[in-house]
Amino acid sequence: MIRLLPNTNSQTLSIIPRAYTAASDLTLKIVEDGTKKNETLTSLTSTVNGNFLDIPCTFSILAEDSTYSIEVKQGSTLLYRDKVYATAKTDTTVSHTLNTSQYNNYDAETEEQQYMII
């Protein structure tokens, strides 16, 4: 999973593609999970950087704590597919989950969470 900042500044994707090619005709499609809001970037350039392919991109749809799917293509050839998590948080010791503060864990000690089977 790739982590991106939720802003409109230029960011560089460093990916390990199916085929290494320095090109200037790449297309990147990003789709937000759940809402299907999408953006397509065209005429992107790539440079080979060791074992990685660097692609500078500027996104306009990234929102804090959102997940996305991306596909990088050259013409009709798929070069790369991955998931993206947009966050401005930089603390790498904290686990990021989609369910933070959304659900309560079952606790048998609490009376209102006890189940009775008849």
Side-chain angles (χ1 to χ4, degrees), residues 27-84:
T27 302
L28 184 145
K29 183 174 183 179
I30 184 166
V31 179
E32 185 175 11
D33 293 345
T35 64
K36 302 297 182 202
K37 182 178 175 183
N38 66 69
E39 178 179 21
T40 302
L41 306 176
T42 58
S43 301
L44 297 174
T45 59
S46 65
T47 55
V48 178
N49 182 10
N51 292 331
F52 295 93
L53 197 64
D54 290 343
I55 305 170
C57 303
T58 303
F59 301 100
S60 64
I61 67 167
L62 298 179
E64 179 71 29
D65 288 330
S66 295
T67 57
Y68 302 85
S69 298
I70 62 166
E71 286 187 349
V72 178
K73 292 184 177 182
Q74 184 177 26
S76 62
T77 304
L78 179 65
L79 295 179
Y80 185 76
R81 180 183 292 152
D82 203 352
K83 298 292 285 181
V84 171

Side-chain angles (χ1 to χ4, degrees), residues 15-29:
I15 62 173
I16 300 175
R18 296 179 181 189
Y20 290 90
T21 179
S24 61
D25 60 344
L26 300 179
T27 302
L28 184 145
K29 183 174 183 179

Side-chain angles (χ1 to χ4, degrees), residues 95-106:
S95 298
H96 297 284
T97 67
L98 299 177
N99 301 328
T100 302
S101 302
Q102 300 264 335
Y103 302 101
N104 294 326
N105 290 330
Y106 173 73

